[in-house]
Amino acid sequence: MTRPIEAVVAEAQRQLEITGRLDVAAIALANPEHSDELRRILPAMLALHEERRWRESENRSRAFALNLFGALTAQAASTSQAAPASQGSQALQGSQASQGSQTLQRAPHGAEMTPTLGTLFTRDREETGLSLDEQARRAGLTPQALAALSKDPTPVKGLDNATIKQLAGRVGASFAPLLKEIRRLGSLGSLATSRAMVFTRDRENSTDEERVELLRKVQEASRQKPPEDR
Amino acid sequence: MGQIASLTDEALLHAALSGAQEAWTELVERYHGKGMRIIRRQIGDPYLAEDIMQNLWSTLVAAVRRQPPDSFAALFYTLVKRRLIDELRRKGRSREAAILDGGEVDSEGEAHSLLEQQPADTPDPLAEAVRTDEGRILQEGLERLPDHYRRTLEARLLQGRSNKETARLLVDEGLVPGETVAEKRVENYYYRGLVELRRQLDALGYDFRGGART
């Protein structure tokens, strides 16, 4: 006895809801009297079912993106504040102030600092112990360009891509590697001066040498590609 | 809300970084759907696409916290492209990855918006994705149906409602006469709706993959 096609389609729908799958060819074969029409309309059913999965995925990932607002503002809020020092919130400042003649001048506890490009590049070289040639090689710059950058008085704060492009032209560097290096050093700069300290364990008991070593390890790690870019 | 909608992407980002949550919401709403449509064209798995988008937004947030970009759109689409290239290479689709990888970023390291791409007759999968949006075509096909067919398909297939719930909904929304509708009639609307939808989708040039699903 021939089943009404509505019943076949309803059963196919139930199968799709339960298993998430639908074998159009098998259903058409099992119902030869409706074969042609089933081969036409069941793909439309599948298309809508698939569309639902896409919409649900889009909604979930949208909700995830919206919830990133907290992460977006957390660091920005913590680095913009000049909060008074509290017990255990010592910066790494004093331990490095004695290194090198052109090291970023460490301001007294609680003060804001406005590094220049020159101090960023110089501090990085001094704190990692790299030669100018090696630092240039790792950054993808020429030693001549790096030497010029190490004396550059341009403030880091508010630096935009257009200024970096001009700087690249002035020192004879390529824009892309220069931009990448400035961003890397800039993030390290804010890390070292931020009141939101990364190094929390045993801070009160660690020595200056231990804190310097830990900072060196952080800088080395920053030179590696982040997991999301691998 | 109208004021928010008139702001540039960069102004919205600045406001969001300063703590304005509605600015961040507006940015996400502007770009999330576009990113999903582009990824959908290349990645057939919605759950994988979901992972890609979540990873993309996490990366974007980390990037804008370090350095707000000159162009939010350029950063967003560069990240979309990068994720797609990674995924295509992972799947062994190196030719498509090479097409995506070529010509999108100039020698100065500047990324260009995918919406500024060449016309669709060029072999650019990303431009093609923007142009041919499967979800949009499906929605257009649905909207061409009589209301009671459209609502039945939406309720049963897009919302996962039962025949009984769909019957109730059709009555509540005034799409059928009377105070009740038999579930058998819902089955009939469902079948006829699919027949008509198939006809409309064919007219719209929808690309059916159909067949057995694995």
Side-chain angles (χ1 to χ4, degrees):
Chain A
M1 183 176 173
T2 303
R3 279 200 302 165
I5 191 169
E6 292 91 335
V8 176
V9 170
E11 184 177 313
Q13 164 72 8
R14 279 190 292 274
Q15 178 185 345
L16 184 59
E17 284 171 358
I18 293 169
T19 67
R21 298 153 66 132
L22 197 68
D23 190 333
V24 175
I27 294 173
L29 199 64
N31 298 272
E33 63 281 8
H34 304 302
S35 175
D36 288 346
E37 196 158 13
L38 288 169
R39 288 181 189 277
R40 273 188 55 78
I41 64 175
L42 291 183
M45 180 196 296
L46 272 173
L48 281 179
H49 177 79
E50 189 74 358
E51 176 65 14
R52 177 181 168 189
R53 293 172 66 207
W54 278 102
R55 291 188 185 188
E56 288 174 347
S57 291
E58 182 170 338
N59 289 340
R60 281 193 299 267
S61 50
R62 179 186 286 107
F64 176 87
L66 292 172
N67 285 337
L68 284 175
F69 177 72
L72 180 74
T73 54
Q75 182 69 24
S78 63
T79 55
S80 66
Q81 292 171 5
S86 57
Q87 188 175 23
S89 67
Q90 300 167 20
L92 284 166
Q93 301 164 1
S95 63
Q96 296 159 43
S98 60
Q99 297 184 19
S101 58
Q102 292 192 35
T103 306
L104 172 67
Q105 292 299 313
R106 300 289 176 176
H109 214 39
E112 293 286 339
M113 283 178 276
T114 54
T116 64
L117 282 177
T119 53
L120 272 191
F121 280 98
T122 305
R123 181 178 67 188
D124 183 58
R125 195 159 60 249
E126 289 174 344
E127 290 176 352
T128 57
L130 296 173
S131 66
L132 187 141
D133 285 350
E134 180 60 17
Q135 186 189 22
R137 186 192 70 79
R138 291 186 183 197
L141 304 169
T142 64
Q144 294 78 11
L146 186 58
L149 288 165
S150 299
K151 300 171 189 168
D152 194 275
T154 307
V156 173
K157 188 175 180 180
L159 196 62
D160 59 14
N161 284 1
T163 304
I164 296 175
K165 267 189 187 177
Q166 290 173 0
L167 180 63
R170 204 160 64 237
V171 302
S174 295
F175 171 71
L178 178 59
L179 175 65
K180 186 178 173 185
E181 187 67 4
I182 288 173
R183 284 178 176 176
R184 186 187 70 79
L185 294 175
S187 64
L188 287 174
S190 68
L191 182 72
T193 60
S194 168
R195 290 292 174 269
M197 286 303 299
V198 172
F199 319 118
T200 58
R201 190 173 70 86
D202 296 331
R203 194 183 309 110
E204 300 252 326
N205 299 320
S206 59
T207 64
D208 287 351
E209 289 74 21
E210 287 170 340
R211 290 196 290 272
V212 167
E213 175 62 16
L214 187 54
L215 179 60
R216 187 190 66 75
K217 288 179 181 175
V218 169
Q219 289 174 331
E220 277 300 308
S222 78
R223 292 184 184 276
Q224 297 172 15
K225 284 184 80 173
E228 59 268 22
D229 286 337
R230 294 198 182 114
Chain B
M1 195 64 185
Q3 195 174 8
I4 285 275
S6 67
L7 293 177
T8 64
D9 297 339
E10 291 70 35
L12 284 173
L13 180 61
H14 179 79
L17 287 167
S18 302
Q21 187 160 7
E22 61 272 22
W24 179 244
T25 300
E26 173 69 17
L27 264 179
V28 171
E29 293 300 335
R30 282 185 188 182
Y31 283 90
H32 185 73
K34 292 174 185 174
M36 281 293 285
R37 284 196 294 277
I38 291 170
I39 290 172
R40 177 172 179 169
R41 183 67 176 154
Q42 297 297 327
I43 306 293
D45 183 344
Y47 302 124
L48 180 55
E50 182 179 340
D51 286 345
I52 291 173
M53 285 303 298
Q54 289 183 0
N55 185 279
L56 183 154
W57 280 110
S58 296
T59 304
L60 184 143
V61 165
V64 300
R65 278 169 45 188
R66 281 197 302 270
Q67 176 78 38
D70 284 347
S71 167
F72 183 89
L75 172 64
F76 183 84
Y77 290 123
T78 295
L79 291 176
V80 169
K81 187 192 76 165
R82 196 180 297 169
R83 291 293 170 276
L84 271 177
I85 289 170
D86 287 349
E87 192 57 37
L88 289 172
R89 285 186 174 143
R90 199 170 293 135
K91 288 175 179 290
R93 293 160 63 180
S94 49
R95 180 177 170 276
E96 290 155 282
I99 291 173
L100 281 172
D101 206 4
E104 297 297 325
V105 178
D106 66 19
S107 58
E108 290 299 298
E110 292 288 342
H112 299 285
S113 166
L114 295 176
L115 292 181
E116 298 165 8
Q117 289 306 305
Q118 308 90 326
D121 57 359
T122 56
D124 182 338
L126 291 173
E128 183 71 5
V130 174
R131 192 182 65 83
T132 61
D133 177 352
E134 286 180 355
R136 188 172 52 79
I137 296 173
L138 266 174
Q139 187 61 40
E140 190 168 340
L142 278 170
E143 286 169 6
R144 291 183 175 194
L145 304 184
D147 287 343
H148 55 300
Y149 288 170
R150 174 186 54 79
R151 202 66 187 92
T152 300
L153 292 181
E154 285 176 350
R156 294 287 283 117
L157 281 165
L158 293 180
Q159 296 169 2
R161 294 176 190 261
S162 65
N163 275 344
K164 189 174 179 180
E165 291 168 336
T166 302
R168 184 75 255 162
L169 189 145
L170 291 172
V171 169
D172 289 346
E173 294 186 6
L175 296 176
V176 293
E179 294 183 358
T180 59
V181 60
E183 290 183 37
K184 278 284 181 198
R185 191 186 296 186
V186 173
E187 281 187 6
N188 183 266
Y189 289 168
Y190 184 75
Y191 160 69
R192 294 188 184 283
L194 282 176
V195 170
E196 185 59 22
L197 178 64
R198 176 65 201 240
R199 198 173 70 81
Q200 295 296 340
L201 292 178
D202 282 343
L204 290 167
Y206 183 82
D207 178 21
F208 280 98
R209 296 188 184 99
R213 289 289 191 187
T214 56

